[in-house]
Amino acid sequence: CIRDSMIFDQILFHNVEELEETEKGYLLRRVCKKVRDGISDGVQNNRFATGVELRFRMTDGAVDLTLSSELVAESATVHIFFGSFQGGGEYSSKNVGPGNTTIHIEYPTGMEKLRQLAEEYHLPYDPEVVRVVMPYTPCYYVGVKGKVEPPRSGDLPEKTYLAYGSSITHGSLGLIQPDSYAFRIAQQLGTDYLNLGFAGCALMEEEMAEYLISRKDWDFASVEMGINAVGEKRRLELAEFERRIDRFTQILAADPRPVFATSIFVFNGEDAEQELAEKMRRIVRRYAAERLIFTDGLQLLGDPTLISADCTHPSVRGIEQIAVRWGHIMQETLQMTDF
């Protein structure tokens, strides 16, 4: 597997371990096949572009980037950043359809001012690095026209935050990928980020824990545990759930890097689901509080009015609350260490 050094066509494919060649283009895979096949069917079949960014410098000041996506219910929108700055005007966001979509990108006319601000405020990304933030829908890279080069040494943040969890980590109902809590926490802390949210299949497999600690491209991490084990389709027996939480947290705790852990956030399911979720919260607390840096999910998000109409996923405001509260806890904790 290749880590964050995945460079193709002189573009850095951030949070991509494998480019899978298909008729539609290169499917952006966050976990390589060798690892996927050893974890679970859910992870094997996960094709989302969650947390993927295409990063490059434009040698001539402009490029045409061609992408495509799969036709899904939610809109597939890429967001363009120039370093730490969100793109403006016509270079802020672009919809990507199931056919080839070519996106023209130019450097903003105020680049000199952006460079000045980045230096004055010690921003983590160089503004000349174009960051094309992909949507969480399955996406394909088709090609690029124009001269580009990968980011240079010093262009990107020194530290990296890795987030593992369910569709909530993945960014569902955040509406745009930059509003996922992983992205927002990284912004707060001035770090880079890796999003390993797996919609519907974050089941705390032992093999997943081993994979996470095998990666040397992160400095601290968070794990959101439990919601995918609630409900008839994904339910684990409590004994199996406890066995997995025990082993999962044990493996993570053996790594010296800080790992922040949480349990199930508030959701608006039926009484039986709420009872099961509360039992699971107690199990997660039992093991994570002793081994990791634990915060109860209800402490991060306990307001049922901040849950979307599907009764499970936080709304945009709910996600922002998780980001602000957990980000504050992470910042305070990390400041007390050598981090």
Side-chain angles (χ1 to χ4, degrees), residues 83-85 114 117-127 154-157 190:
S84 299
F85 296 94
L114 299 185
L117 290 169
E119 183 175 351
E120 180 180 352
Y121 289 92
H122 307 288
L123 299 182
Y125 295 90
D126 190 294
D155 281 351
L156 305 177

Side-chain angles (χ1 to χ4, degrees), residues 245-257:
I245 294 297
D246 182 11
R247 186 64 181 140
F248 192 78
T249 56
Q250 185 180 60
I251 293 169
L252 293 176
D255 190 281
R257 293 170 289 185

Side-chain angles (χ1 to χ4, degrees), residues 127-142:
E128 290 196 35
V129 174
V130 180
R131 300 167 59 200
V132 181
V133 182
M134 306 298 286
Y136 42 65
T137 55
C139 288
Y140 301 84
Y141 168 75
V142 179

Side-chain angles (χ1 to χ4, degrees), residues 197-215:
F198 294 96
C201 50
L203 295 174
M204 293 72 68
E205 302 91 345
E206 179 176 341
E207 295 84 359
M208 176 60 77
E210 295 284 5
Y211 167 65
L212 294 178
I213 66 169
S214 77
R215 297 186 62 139

Side-chain angles (χ1 to χ4, degrees), residues 63-272:
V63 301
D64 289 308
L65 185 67
T66 302
L67 308 168
S68 69
S69 71
E70 293 189 0
L71 189 61
V72 295
E74 295 176 277
S75 61
T77 305
V78 303
H79 290 80
I80 301 165
F81 281 68
F82 297 95
S84 299
F85 296 94
Q86 179 181 310
E90 61 183 300
Y91 302 117
S92 60
S93 61
K94 300 289 182 180
N95 291 326
V96 179
N100 286 356
T101 301
T102 298
I103 300 169
H104 182 72
I105 304 173
E106 295 181 10
Y107 277 134
T109 56
M111 180 55 73
E112 185 175 343
K113 181 64 174 180
L114 299 185
R115 283 196 292 264
Q116 175 189 331
L117 290 169
E119 183 175 351
E120 180 180 352
Y121 289 92
H122 307 288
L123 299 182
Y125 295 90
D126 190 294
E128 290 196 35
V129 174
V130 180
R131 300 167 59 200
V132 181
V133 182
M134 306 298 286
Y136 42 65
T137 55
C139 288
Y140 301 84
Y141 168 75
V142 179
V144 64
K145 289 186 178 180
K147 294 182 179 179
V148 297
E149 62 180 30
R152 301 169 185 171
S153 175
D155 281 351
L156 305 177
E158 295 181 1
K159 304 288 186 178
T160 298
Y161 158 48
L162 181 147
Y164 167 80
S166 69
S167 57
I168 299 172
T169 297
H170 151 99
S172 290
L173 277 296
L175 303 184
I176 62 173
Q177 187 59 209
D179 277 345
S180 68
Y181 75 72
F183 192 102
R184 295 289 293 114
I185 286 174
Q187 281 185 321
Q188 290 179 50
L189 274 58
T191 69
D192 212 332
Y193 73 107
L194 295 165
N195 193 324
L196 289 181
F198 294 96
C201 50
L203 295 174
M204 293 72 68
E205 302 91 345
E206 179 176 341
E207 295 84 359
M208 176 60 77
E210 295 284 5
Y211 167 65
L212 294 178
I213 66 169
S214 77
R215 297 186 62 139
K216 305 306 177 187
D217 53 356
W218 56 271
D219 299 279
F220 66 102
S222 69
V223 290
E224 169 232 333
M225 299 177 284
I227 190 62
N228 287 156
V230 177
E232 293 297 332
K233 292 183 178 179
R234 291 294 182 187
R235 179 170 296 174
L236 298 173
E237 294 297 329
L238 270 180
E240 173 62 13
F241 180 80
E242 182 167 2
R243 187 194 70 79
R244 290 193 182 200
I245 294 297
D246 182 11
R247 186 64 181 140
F248 192 78
T249 56
Q250 185 180 60
I251 293 169
L252 293 176
D255 190 281
R257 293 170 289 185
V259 178
F260 296 83
T262 194
S263 53
I264 300 172
F265 306 118
V266 71
F267 68 104
N268 296 329
E270 299 298 330
D271 289 347

